[in-house]
């Protein structure tokens, strides 16, 4: 048995290509089932996000597993295997396991250390287990990976470091107040930055988040989407709102200031605009423009690099732990022995056939050999899947030894093992 990952990701493919190779949430269940019926595939799980589509699989042979996964994906996305092959990267054994740990911890994400991929992989794992396309190997691997990722996010908290000006502004506001309990915030301007700032602010603990935009309907639409503590206010109320909230973030694209401070204002002001949205003719004790926030972002970049290096340094031990667990599965040498035993019988039958039909040419011999191997692989696929699952049940020793006996592999019988090993 071999672990394999077939990946289409943002490293090789720009968005206009990645979007051609993505599964919808509804399609993943069916795709998991269909792939599991392919030759050579013993276990499989499909992950599809905006940055990657990946298949993790346990296969009986690397070269056949690689071929049938690519063939399945090419067929699903309406490409020939040759066309499809140029887009994929394939990892096996240790490389596949290490890749999963890097992906699930966010080290392989566009935004390094982001936690969303953990939830996406958990969802993909739940779908695959519901469809019964995973087994002993992938179940253990993904449970270990999910636990490891949670541990890394708790230990290093990379995701808490602001990575955008909007996040930095919210971080500065939280730092100034200490606690956001009972605090109110206004977000003015709901373009790309303002919208994401509103999303982040909606679940940070503010008692109320007011949204204002020069087009009132846009503020109303976003408020209805976010709900909870978020409320839209007419843009005509800008001055009143800003003067009465605890903090305000301006993120509009304008040529002239939207708001002018003409007296002492206690509101914490974060001005993300260039040109700036706020004109200061009065006094604001706590005012931060984009240059102030870049100091926070630069500091966070250095901290993030250090944390990511520390997470990456812990991955090799996780890979080693997984393979130590796998080596303790007594069934691995039994499955290897069954393959070797079956191929030996196939080889003897093939040699006998050639002696009886010496007139066969090279092409005919190749076709016959290929089909004989295919027959063998199909015949032993189901027994391998069944004994693999039985190997971790309470009666594992007796089941494995009976399996060895009926296939004539008495030399591979195992001694008594602990339940669930």
């Amino acid at each position: 048995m071999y672990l394999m990952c077939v990946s289409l990701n943002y490293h090789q493919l720009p968005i206009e290509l990645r979007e051609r190779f993505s599964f919808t949430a509804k399609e993943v269940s069916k795709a998991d089932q269909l792939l599991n019926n392919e030759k050579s595939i013993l276990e499989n799980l499909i992950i599809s996000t905006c940055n990657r589509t990946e298949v993790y699989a346990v296969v009986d042979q690397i070269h056949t597993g690689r071929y049938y996964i690519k063939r399945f994906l090419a067929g699903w996305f309406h490409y020939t295997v040759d066309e499809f092959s140029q887009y994929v990267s394939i990892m096996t054994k240790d490389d596949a396991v290490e890749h999963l740990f890097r992906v699930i911890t966010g080290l392989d994400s566009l935004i390094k250390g982001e936690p969303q991929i953990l939830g996406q992989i958990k969802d993909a794992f739940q779908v695959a287990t519901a469809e019964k396309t995973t087994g002993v190997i992938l179940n253990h691997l993904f449970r270990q990976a999910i636990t490891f990722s949670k541990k890394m996010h708790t230990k290093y908290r990379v995701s808490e470091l602001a990575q955008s000006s909007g996040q930095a502004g919210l971080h500065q506001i939280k730092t100034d107040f200490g606690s956001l309990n009972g605090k109110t915030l206004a977000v003015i301007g709901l373009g790309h930055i303002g919208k994401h700032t509103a999303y982040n602010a909606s679940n940070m603990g503010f008692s109320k988040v007011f949204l204002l935009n020069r087009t009132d309907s846009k503020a109303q639409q976003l408020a209805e989407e976010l709900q909870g503590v978020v409320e839209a206010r007419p843009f005509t109320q800008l001055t009143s709102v800003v003067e009465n909230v605890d903090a305000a973030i301006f993120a509009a694209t304008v040529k002239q200031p939207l708001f002018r401070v003409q007296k002492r204002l206690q509101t914490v002001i974060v001005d993300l605009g260039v040109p700036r949205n706020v004109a200061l003719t009065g006094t604001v004790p706590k005012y931060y423009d984009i240059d102030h926030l870049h100091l926070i972002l630069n500091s966070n970049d250095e901290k993030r690099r250090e944390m990511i290096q520390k997470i990456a340094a812990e991955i090799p031990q996780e890979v080693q732990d997984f393979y130590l667990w796998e080596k303790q599965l007594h069934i691995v040498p039994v499955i290897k022995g069954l393959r070797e035993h079956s191929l030996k019988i196939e080889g003897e039958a093939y040699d006998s056939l050639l002696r009886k039909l010496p007139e066969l040419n090279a092409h005919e011999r190749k076709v016959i050999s290929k089909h004989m191997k295919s027959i063998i692989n199909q015949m032993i696929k189901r027994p391998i899947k069944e004994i693999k699952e039985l190997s971790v049940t309470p009666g594992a020793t007796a089941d494995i030894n009976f399996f060895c006996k009926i296939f004539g592999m008495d030399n591979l019988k195992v001694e008594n093992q602990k339940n669930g090993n």
Side-chain angles (χ1 to χ4, degrees):
M1 295 183 293
Y2 303 94
L3 263 165
M4 176 175 292
C5 173
V6 176
S7 178
L8 298 129
N9 60 62
Y10 75 93
H11 294 295
Q12 289 86 16
L13 304 177
I15 184 64
E16 60 267 21
L17 285 176
R18 283 202 312 279
E19 62 190 8
R20 300 181 193 175
F21 303 122
S22 98
F23 293 91
T24 66
K26 292 181 179 180
E27 290 175 332
V28 171
S29 295
K30 181 180 179 181
D32 272 329
Q33 289 179 334
L34 292 177
L35 177 57
N36 199 246
N37 291 329
E38 292 282 344
K39 295 178 182 178
S40 198
I41 311 300
L42 304 176
E43 302 180 35
N44 61 271
L45 181 153
I46 295 172
I47 298 167
S48 191
T49 73
C50 58
N51 288 328
R52 68 187 68 248
T53 290
E54 294 184 339
V55 172
Y56 290 86
V58 176
V59 299
D60 58 6
Q61 296 181 86
I62 289 178
H63 65 282
T64 54
R66 180 191 300 122
Y67 172 77
Y68 285 111
I69 293 173
K70 288 197 299 183
R71 190 184 74 165
F72 168 78
L73 292 172
W76 184 282
F77 296 118
H78 308 294
Y79 282 78
T80 67
V81 174
D82 288 340
E83 289 172 331
F84 186 78
S85 295
Q86 65 181 307
Y87 299 120
V88 302
S89 59
I90 298 175
M91 292 147 281
T92 60
K93 304 178 183 177
D94 293 26
D95 291 337
V97 176
E98 180 179 350
H99 178 71
L100 173 61
F101 285 119
R102 290 186 63 83
V103 170
I104 201 168
T105 52
L107 298 194
D108 198 59
S109 297
L110 270 170
I111 301 175
K112 297 294 185 284
E114 57 89 9
Q116 286 85 357
I117 188 65
L118 169 59
Q120 292 167 325
I121 290 178
K122 285 174 64 179
D123 290 344
F125 180 48
Q126 289 174 356
V127 170
T129 53
E131 298 300 333
K132 296 182 169 47
T133 64
T134 60
V136 174
I137 304 297
L138 287 187
N139 286 342
H140 183 89
L141 174 62
F142 275 82
R143 287 182 184 126
Q144 180 184 341
I146 290 167
T147 299
F148 176 67
S149 182
K150 289 179 179 178
K151 177 183 174 183
M152 292 301 98
H153 285 301
T154 301
K155 185 174 182 180
Y156 296 108
R157 300 189 180 279
V158 180
S159 61
E160 293 185 4
L161 295 174
Q163 300 181 68
S164 67
S165 56
Q167 287 178 314
L170 289 168
H171 174 80
Q172 185 60 58
I173 291 169
K174 185 175 181 180
T175 300
D176 286 343
F177 290 132
S179 169
L180 297 178
N181 185 36
K183 302 300 181 182
T184 56
L185 171 73
V187 179
I188 300 96
L190 299 175
H192 178 75
I193 294 174
K195 183 177 181 180
H196 282 279
T197 301
Y199 271 102
N200 290 329
S202 66
N203 56 16
M204 284 183 63
F206 289 101
S207 64
K208 186 67 71 173
V209 176
F210 300 108
L211 305 183
L212 296 92
N213 195 71
R214 283 173 291 181
T215 304
D216 289 339
S217 59
K218 189 171 184 179
Q220 187 62 44
Q221 182 179 355
L222 184 57
E224 290 174 358
E225 181 180 341
L226 295 176
Q227 298 184 343
V229 299
V230 181
E231 180 182 317
R233 285 290 179 87
F235 196 71
T236 54
Q237 297 181 11
L238 172 63
T239 300
S240 173
V241 170
V242 173
E243 290 179 348
N244 287 282
V245 293
D246 296 295
I249 295 180
F250 286 81
T253 302
V254 292
K255 292 292 184 181
Q256 300 296 326
L258 292 176
F259 181 78
R260 189 173 297 276
V261 179
Q262 297 179 323
K263 57 183 180 179
R264 184 175 179 85
L265 184 67
Q266 293 302 319
T267 306
V268 177
I269 299 290
V270 174
D271 190 345
L272 305 180
V274 180
R276 288 179 291 181
N277 292 180
V278 179
L280 299 176
T281 55
T283 304
V284 182
K286 294 182 179 179
Y287 169 84
Y288 307 96
D289 62 20
I290 198 71
D291 285 353
H292 292 98
L293 300 179
H294 277 165
L295 295 175
I296 298 174
L297 293 173
N298 290 338
S299 173
N300 285 352
D301 285 344
E302 183 60 34
K303 291 177 183 177
R304 185 178 298 103
R305 280 192 292 270
E306 292 176 2
M307 290 181 180
I308 286 172
Q309 289 173 358
K310 290 177 180 179
I311 294 173
E314 296 200 31
I315 289 177
Q317 183 61 53
E318 286 296 310
V319 176
Q320 183 177 334
D321 289 348
F322 171 75
Y323 277 104
L324 177 61
W325 168 84
E326 189 184 56
K327 286 178 182 177
Q328 292 171 345
L329 282 176
H330 297 312
I331 197 61
V332 173
V334 172
I335 291 174
K336 181 180 178 182
L338 175 61
R339 285 203 53 77
E340 293 174 348
H341 180 65
S342 302
L343 291 174
K344 180 182 178 182
I345 293 173
E346 181 269 330
E348 292 171 350
Y350 178 69
D351 291 341
S352 174
L353 181 65
L354 295 186
R355 288 193 296 270
K356 295 175 181 176
L357 299 171
E359 68 276 10
L360 293 174
N361 60 38
H363 174 70
E364 292 168 335
R365 294 183 181 198
K366 184 177 180 179
V367 170
I368 291 172
S369 176
K370 180 180 178 180
H371 281 274
M372 289 181 70
K373 284 183 169 61
S374 178
I375 292 170
I376 291 294
N377 288 334
Q378 286 298 95
M379 287 186 66
I380 65 175
K381 179 179 178 180
R382 183 60 181 269
I384 286 175
K385 293 181 78 168
E386 292 298 328
I387 194 60
K388 183 164 60 67
E389 299 308 311
L390 288 171
S391 69
V392 290
T393 62
T397 299
D399 289 332
I400 293 172
N401 287 337
F402 180 68
F403 183 88
C404 292
K405 181 176 181 180
I406 62 175
F407 282 102
M409 302 185 299
D410 289 343
N411 61 310
L412 292 175
K413 287 184 177 180
V414 300
E415 296 180 0
N416 191 48
Q417 55 180 315
K418 293 181 181 180
N419 292 347
N421 192 28

